[in-house]
Amino acid sequence: MLNIVIFGPPGSGKGTQSEKIAEKYRLIHLSTGDLLREEMKKGSDLGIKVKNYINKGELVPDEIIIEELHLKVSEHKNAKGFIFDGFPRTIVQAEMLDEMLSKKDIKIDIVLNIQVEEEELVSRMMGRAKDSNRSDDKEDVIYKRIDIYKEQTFPLIKYYKNQGKIVNIDGMAEIGKVFEKICHAIDIYNSVKDR
Ligand code: ADP
C-alpha cells in the first residue's frame, strides 16, 4: 500500500497534482474540498451544514470532516492506497487519521509539502475565479483561507516532520515539472521500501 498526504496552502496545486498522482500510481484520490463542494451542489443536509463555513473561508468542524473521511476510506477496502488532498488540515484531524489508519494496520507513507509564495497563490486563485465557479475564490475569502492555513494547518508540518515524513516540493514551477519532482520523491521512497 502507498498512502500519501498532499499538503500545501490554498492555490498551491494540490488538486491538480493529486489527480496526476492518483492516475500514475493507481491510488484513490480523496479530496475533502471536492467532496464538500459536491454535497453543496446536491443540496444535501451535509452540504447545507458546511456551506457557511466554506463561503467564509473557514474550516468545517473536525467531527464533520472526520466522519465523512471515515466513510470514504471504508468504501475502498481493496484500494492500493490513498492520496489525501485537503485533509488533514488541523492537528486533531491528523491524529484522528493516524488512529483510523492504525486500526486498519496501515499508515501514511509520505507527506508532500507543496511550497508556493503567497503572492503567487493569490494570483492563481484570482485567475481561476472566473472558471472555477467556487464561492470561495473571492479576494477577501482567499486572504482569509491563507490566514486560516497559516494558523491552523501550517503547524502540521512540524507534526509530520517529527514522524520523518515530510518531503518539500517546490510548487512554483510549471505543472509538469512539479509532477516530475513528486514522482521522483515517490519512486525513491518505494525503492527504499522494497529493498
Ligand atoms: P483549497 O485548498 O484551495 O482551500 P479545498 O477544496 O481543499 O481548497 O477546500 C475548500 C474549503 O473546504 C476549505 O476552505 C474549508 O472550508 C473546507 N474544507 C476542506 N477540507 C477541509 C478539512 N479537512 N477540514 C475542514 N474544512 C475543510
Side-chain angles (χ1 to χ4, degrees), residues 10 14 32-33 37 54 58 60 65 86 89 93 134 145:
K14 299 186 296 285
T32 44
R37 277 188 290 278
I54 293 187
E58 289 170 4
V60 171
I65 295 287
R89 249 181 166 88
Q93 290 180 16
R134 277 177 56 160
R145 281 157 61 204

Side-chain angles (χ1 to χ4, degrees), residues 80-96:
K80 277 187 68 183
F82 293 94
I83 173 144
F84 297 100
D85 163 14
F87 178 91
R89 249 181 166 88
T90 62
I91 298 278
V92 172
Q93 290 180 16
E95 288 170 349
M96 293 304 296

Side-chain angles (χ1 to χ4, degrees), residues 137-155:
D137 279 346
K138 291 194 202 98
E139 193 168 6
D140 52 334
V141 183
I142 287 172
Y143 281 109
K144 177 75 189 245
R145 281 157 61 204
I146 294 177
D147 282 349
I148 299 252
Y149 167 82
K150 288 186 198 159
E151 257 169 50
Q152 302 195 41
T153 308
F154 185 79

Side-chain angles (χ1 to χ4, degrees), residues 1 39 51 94 102 110 127 136 141 162 166 181:
M1 247 201 145
E39 295 297 323
K51 193 169 157 192
S102 78
I110 309 177
D136 58 351
V141 183
N162 288 340
I166 288 275
K181 289 179 203 166

